[in-house]
Each structure stands twice: as structure tokens, then as C-alpha cells.
Amino acid sequence: MGALLGRPTWPRPTPEDHALVRAELARLDPWSYWAVALEGEGADYAVVGRTGAFVVALVPLPGYVEPDRRGVRVGGVPLAGFRRVRRAARRVRGRLLQVPAFCDVEPVLCLTRAVAGAPRTVRGVRVVSVGDLAADLAARENAMDPQTARRAAEALGTVLPGGAGAAEEP
């Protein structure tokens, strides 16, 4: 029933999941991207940089990613949480508009333990494996200048040390 309502049916991410994502975010250019740990927003991180703004929710489900008629399955479990991460993106966009930083915020579900193919968009949410996260975020066209991106990230909260990320726990 939780999957039908858009609530995640997976366990909470562990410190190891956070360390994997932060290490991947640390691969982004530290002068062009800034990451912020989010709490109570429906996503775990916000990343703001020259290619735009993103909210990233961690999905610690193990298994293989398989297409499904309603989206994707991970290890036989239907992937849920699309509505929650889209709502987090809308909230973060509203906070960025107050800076002002005018850009869309793309919701991302990051698979920290699953074996997945190429990143894909499902129901308006980008689904990407942790190993492809940095490359996928940086592969977009430029959307804002670095000074505006940094100001926007600082308005969201404390920017993670080391530019876009660091390998320490949240």
C-alpha cells in the first residue's frame, strides 16, 4: 500500500550510503557545485551548480533494476518515493526563488546499492545509480553562474565541506 501512495518502502540510508553519495558528489568541480544536506525536506541532499539545482533522495535497495509498466523495480520491489522527491524539489525551488536564483530543481532518486543500467527519467524523476550521479548532474547545459549557485546553496543550509561533498557522515 505504501508504494501506491508514493511513500518509500525501503529502509533508511545507512552512514555507508551517505559516504558513497558524498564521495561521488566530491567528484564534482568544487568551484562550480555545492551540496547541502537536507533534513525534513523529503530528500537527503540538494546540489546547486552551474548546470542547475537538484534534490537527491537515497534509495538503499539492493538488487537489479528492471523496467516495470508503472516505472521500475529494484530487486523485485516497486520503486516508490517519486511524489515525495518531486515535492521536495518544489519546496527547494521556492526557497531558491527567494535568493533569487531562477532555475528548475530536478528531483533525483540515487540507487546506492542496486545494479542499474543507464540513468533514466521515470514519472518526472531521474533514477540514477550512485556511480553515475556526478557525471549525470554535470552533463547538463549551463543554467546559472557559479556565484549565484553558491549563494543559492548557502541559502539552503550549511554547504558540505570540500565543495560539492565530503566523505563524512551527515
Side-chain angles (χ1 to χ4, degrees):
M1 178 92 171
L4 296 175
L5 296 175
R7 291 188 205 124
T9 55
W10 58 80
R12 304 243 342 122
T14 64
E16 291 82 17
D17 294 318
H18 285 279
L20 283 171
V21 169
R22 286 184 176 204
E24 184 66 15
L25 291 175
R27 293 182 53 215
L28 291 167
D29 178 10
W31 293 279
S32 299
Y33 292 92
W34 293 267
V36 176
L38 298 175
E39 293 184 26
E41 292 283 345
D44 298 292
Y45 297 95
V47 179
V48 185
R50 65 176 178 77
T51 58
F54 310 88
V55 292
V56 180
L58 307 186
V59 180
L61 287 174
Y64 291 96
V65 175
E66 304 166 350
D68 189 343
R69 65 180 178 86
R70 293 193 48 144
V72 294
R73 290 179 160 298
V74 179
V77 176
L79 186 59
F82 295 99
R83 185 181 308 162
R84 180 182 67 122
V85 73
R86 281 193 310 261
R87 191 174 323 125
R90 284 192 303 271
R91 275 192 295 246
V92 168
R93 184 171 190 271
R95 290 172 61 188
L96 292 179
L97 288 174
Q98 295 173 355
V99 172
F102 303 102
C103 70
D104 288 331
V105 178
E106 185 173 351
V108 178
L109 288 176
C110 181
L111 306 169
T112 59
R113 300 180 193 173
V115 177
R120 67 184 77 199
T121 301
V122 179
R123 291 192 256 166
V125 176
R126 194 76 171 155
V127 179
V128 61
S129 66
V130 69
D132 295 328
L133 181 62
D136 192 57
L137 299 183
R140 311 282 185 346
E141 289 186 27
N142 289 349
M144 70 172 70
D145 65 280
Q147 290 79 18
T148 303
R150 182 177 187 157
R151 215 173 43 246
E154 289 170 348
L156 294 175
T158 304
V159 174
L160 297 176
E168 57 188 53
E169 296 177 17

